Amino acid sequence: METRMEFTPFENAALWGVIVAAVIGLLYGYYLRRRIVRMDQGTDEMKRIARLIQDGAYAYLHRQFTTIAWMVVILFIALTLSGATAGWDIGIGRGVAFLLGAFASAFTGWMGMTLAVQGNVRCANAARKSLREALFVAFRSGGVAGMYTVGMGLLGATIIFMIFRERATEVLLGFGFGGCLLALFMRVGGGIYTKAADVGADLVGKIEAGIPEDDPRNAAVIADQVGDNVGDCAGMAADIFESYEVTLVASMILALAHASAGGTAEAMDLAKKWILFPLIVRGVGVLTSILGIMQVNLKSDQEHPMAGISRGFFWSAITSIILFFFFARYYVQDLRLFYATTGGVILALVIYKVTEYYTSGRFRPVQEIARSTQTGTATALLQGLAVGFEGTVWSLIVICAAMFASLLIFGGEGESAVSVLYGVSLTGLGMLTTTGVMVSMDTYGPVADNAQGISEMAGTSEEAGPVLASLDAVGNTTKAATKGFAIASAVVAAVSLYGSYLSKVALAQVGGGGGGGEIISPEALERLHIQVDQPAVFIGLLIGGAMPFLFSSMTIRAVGRAAFYIINEVRRQFREIPGLMEGQAEPDSARVVDICTASALRELAAPGMLAILAPVVVGSWFGWPALGGYLAGIIVTGQLLAVFMCDAGAAWDNAKKSIEDGLYGGKGSDAHKAGVVGDTVGDPLKDTAGPALNPLIKVMNLVGLLVVPLIVRAEGSPFLPIVGIILAAVIAIFYLMSKRESQEQIQVYASVGDKQE
């Protein structure tokens, strides 16, 4: 049985209003872009260095998109065929939506990165004049990425919903999956690139050669500057985009599942309001994000940059909460939705504060790491590990508290578990309401960091140095905070998606086409359970819990391999280019950029295959209950491991910066050398493996939702285990190929050893 969702005049107006809000966001992003690019770039040397960074960043993204195009085409075909079981209109819609989601995610990352590599030099030049103007340039450069993130995601989701209505959830799964997949590749590839360059530049430059961080004699410095943009700007913009999209998709799926369980026209009418409310919340978020970005200004050069940024976030959050109340009270007529979304805004603030406490140099954890460097590298590493482990627990408790609040709000008598999970999804929506400001905060960090590097390499650091140092210090905090946002949003989104898993199973068992709008009886849902005491489920839980560790092993090993080649290349140039150390010759930066690009792209295949195929293998071998356990395992260990790596890495980084500011002997001291090693160990944790777990959690959960109807219908088929064996073999082949580089590395080690002898 199917029902048709009809809209009232107000609801039609609200939907068109949401589209208008999305377009306004895109236009505001375009306005910011035009305003920034018209600003002065400074001296000829500053322009030359900026062009090198731009060329490297553009070349990397172009090659990355070309590299993964084949996988996008294959998945488009697979998603179209899988959706066709519900009708060819749904199949084609899902496939096209997948392409649109992938394009939107890629375009968002590209827009964020392109303006970041143009805003950096303008920020460096503005810093020669005033702190106020430099902050304006840096934050507005990030604002472009923020507005394209919210505008593209909201526009695509709203149009899909208006076309497919009650069947939109099946199509939106494709849209969310496309965004997640591109975010995964951009996070992994960009993270490998940026940290390989950073590690190579630091170890050879700071430790071996004893030269400053952004010294123009270091061939890896340009690659390091490029990496900040392809990793932190393009990668984070795509990452937040898919979190933004997946929470919206999850809330819509759960709203429709609630209507299906009710089985009445009244339930469908309620579902319509529950579906429209998240879209309205997103529209509100676009407009309040614009307000927040406009509020980020300093009253004077004496005001701390963080004060201006916090003011923008505050105004965006408060205005959003007021509008949440208006729509929940007068449209849905249910204040529970207001409480849940407001709880999400509070969750964002608390996550920010917890992350700041464990990663900022102003607080005890980082100060303890800095103090421990006085007794050597080992104690600095041990202290950083302890900080990372502790921060993980408190972040998890905060997320659990937010989910418990949803249980209290929606868990009244007669309410289903689906209602509670819908409340969890609203918490995620509320948390990401100020996405435009959050992405601006994240992109601001690399822009300020790049500006400092350009200033040092161009010889203008005496004029701009103090201003840029202040901006960069704040940027470290904002980058750590937005990573905390991204991880928490990934968990909330994944839990929300997990809540619709059983409804997909129930629909497949009763023969529903999966096109949406079908009614599932409450009895059908109540009969379904995923019991951990069942051996198959427990196996799935254990395998799922292991996946983030295997994935992190792949990405960290990839950074180590790429860094090895970069280190040897930088050493070679110092050794073989006459006059390089004396400043009488130019390094071959393009060679290092090429090594970074080739290494990062070579490493994409194995993590991608693991993320896409592993859930299918588990479901094929052990059935849908085990696949449910598998997805639960990923959520739990993925969150814990991601927060641990991001907190520990950021804490080591800021401990090193505290020493560079003059603590315990300052630059060049033994404590500084220990701090640099800690930072080097933490870099691939906080900027590669940790952040990449965010899209991994959501990709695997979306794959589970997409394939579970097929697994249920094929239950008992002898072909299902065979499919699992074939796909497991594919994963194994790509995994072994990813490790084959180690043998080549051994040969290089041997040749280096022979030369030294």
Side-chain angles (χ1 to χ4, degrees), residues 378-422:
T379 50
L381 293 177
L382 290 172
Q383 193 64 38
L385 291 173
V387 167
F389 287 133
E390 182 180 320
T392 295
V393 174
W394 287 108
S395 293
L396 182 65
I397 289 175
V398 170
I399 295 172
C400 289
M403 292 183 182
F404 182 67
S406 295
L407 177 62
L408 295 177
I409 295 168
F410 283 88
E413 185 177 353
E415 292 289 348
S416 65
V418 174
S419 299
V420 176
L421 288 165
Y422 177 75

Side-chain angles (χ1 to χ4, degrees), residues 228-252:
D228 288 339
N229 294 286
V230 301
D232 287 332
C233 296
M236 177 59 87
D239 188 0
I240 294 291
F241 170 84
E242 50 93 12
S243 289
Y244 182 86
E245 204 53 52
V246 168
T247 51
L248 183 59
V249 172
S251 65
M252 289 180 166

Side-chain angles (χ1 to χ4, degrees), residues 89-313:
D89 57 339
I90 295 297
I92 294 172
R94 180 185 285 181
V96 172
F98 167 74
L99 294 180
L100 290 175
F103 169 77
S105 184
F107 184 71
T108 298
W110 184 82
M111 286 298 295
M113 189 213 70
T114 53
L115 195 66
V117 296
Q118 295 179 61
N120 53 13
V121 65
R122 291 164 173 85
C123 177
N125 186 58
R128 300 164 69 191
K129 304 171 187 177
S130 70
L131 174 63
R132 184 178 182 182
E133 187 170 341
L135 176 64
F136 180 91
V137 176
F139 202 84
R140 268 45 174 200
S141 297
V144 174
M147 297 321 300
Y148 274 90
T149 297
V150 296
M152 293 291 290
L154 185 58
L155 187 63
T158 307
I159 291 174
I160 290 171
F161 175 67
M162 291 178 72
I163 293 173
F164 291 93
R165 300 200 179 191
E166 69 279 349
R167 304 199 301 167
T169 56
E170 293 298 320
V171 178
L172 282 168
L173 279 176
F175 189 66
F177 183 51
C180 283
L181 187 70
L182 262 291
L184 179 69
F185 285 131
M186 294 179 79
R187 260 301 188 194
V188 173
I192 293 170
Y193 187 115
T194 183
K195 289 305 106 181
D198 195 6
V199 169
D202 281 358
L203 288 182
V204 180
K206 290 182 179 180
I207 300 296
E208 296 181 8
I211 58 179
E213 182 171 357
D214 295 313
D215 196 293
R217 293 171 291 179
N218 191 332
V221 165
I222 293 296
D224 187 13
Q225 302 291 319
V226 172
D228 288 339
N229 294 286
V230 301
D232 287 332
C233 296
M236 177 59 87
D239 188 0
I240 294 291
F241 170 84
E242 50 93 12
S243 289
Y244 182 86
E245 204 53 52
V246 168
T247 51
L248 183 59
V249 172
S251 65
M252 289 180 166
I253 292 174
L254 290 164
L256 197 60
H258 183 269
S260 297
T264 64
E266 291 77 12
M268 181 57 75
D269 184 65
L270 177 62
K272 179 179 61 175
K273 293 182 177 180
W274 278 20
I275 289 173
L276 284 174
F277 183 75
L279 288 170
I280 293 171
V281 165
R282 285 289 187 243
V284 165
V286 172
L287 300 178
T288 57
S289 289
I290 293 174
L291 174 64
I293 292 171
M294 293 173 65
Q295 292 298 316
V296 179
N297 289 294
L298 295 182
K299 297 176 181 178
S300 68
D301 274 3
Q302 283 66 50
E303 188 176 19
H304 194 275
M306 201 65 213
I309 295 173
S310 298
R311 189 159 48 243
F313 181 83

Side-chain angles (χ1 to χ4, degrees), residues 509-568:
Q509 287 182 340
V510 299
E518 299 93 338
I519 298 299
I520 308 171
S521 68
E523 294 77 16
L525 281 175
E526 289 175 3
R527 286 196 302 267
L528 296 176
H529 300 283
I530 298 175
Q531 297 175 292
V532 180
D533 62 345
Q534 297 300 310
V537 175
F538 206 84
I539 290 172
L541 185 69
L542 292 175
I543 295 175
M547 286 299 103
F549 290 90
L550 179 59
F551 184 84
S552 299
S553 169
M554 289 179 174
T555 53
I556 293 173
R557 184 183 291 115
V559 171
R561 272 198 299 268
F564 173 83
Y565 293 113
I566 292 165
I567 289 169
N568 277 286

Side-chain angles (χ1 to χ4, degrees), residues 263-466:
T264 64
E266 291 77 12
M268 181 57 75
D269 184 65
L270 177 62
K272 179 179 61 175
K273 293 182 177 180
W274 278 20
I275 289 173
L276 284 174
F277 183 75
L279 288 170
I280 293 171
V281 165
R282 285 289 187 243
V284 165
V286 172
L287 300 178
T288 57
S289 289
I290 293 174
L291 174 64
I293 292 171
M294 293 173 65
Q295 292 298 316
V296 179
N297 289 294
L298 295 182
K299 297 176 181 178
S300 68
D301 274 3
Q302 283 66 50
E303 188 176 19
H304 194 275
M306 201 65 213
I309 295 173
S310 298
R311 189 159 48 243
F313 181 83
F314 173 81
W315 276 105
S316 179
I318 292 298
T319 310
S320 296
I321 289 172
I322 293 171
L323 292 174
F324 292 165
F325 175 83
F326 177 81
F327 286 107
R329 173 68 179 83
Y330 296 104
Y331 169 56
V332 186
Q333 297 180 347
D334 188 344
L335 284 177
R336 293 181 302 172
L337 279 67
F338 162 71
Y339 299 142
T341 47
T342 301
V345 176
I346 296 171
L347 171 62
L349 179 62
V350 176
I351 284 289
Y352 171 79
K353 289 299 181 183
V354 170
T355 306
E356 183 183 28
Y357 175 74
Y358 283 102
T359 60
S360 173
R362 297 187 295 116
F363 299 105
R364 182 175 177 179
V366 172
Q367 293 170 357
E368 289 177 343
I369 296 174
R371 188 160 55 247
S372 70
T373 60
Q374 297 176 96
T375 52
T377 302
T379 50
L381 293 177
L382 290 172
Q383 193 64 38
L385 291 173
V387 167
F389 287 133
E390 182 180 320
T392 295
V393 174
W394 287 108
S395 293
L396 182 65
I397 289 175
V398 170
I399 295 172
C400 289
M403 292 183 182
F404 182 67
S406 295
L407 177 62
L408 295 177
I409 295 168
F410 283 88
E413 185 177 353
E415 292 289 348
S416 65
V418 174
S419 299
V420 176
L421 288 165
Y422 177 75
V424 172
S425 72
L426 289 183
T427 301
L429 286 167
M431 182 181 184
L432 290 170
T433 297
T434 57
T435 289
V437 179
M438 292 177 193
V439 176
S440 302
M441 290 168 61
D442 181 76
T443 306
Y444 152 84
V447 170
D449 191 6
N450 265 206
Q452 189 173 37
I454 290 171
S455 180
E456 185 166 334
M457 287 185 282
T460 61
S461 57
E462 288 189 10
E463 300 173 83

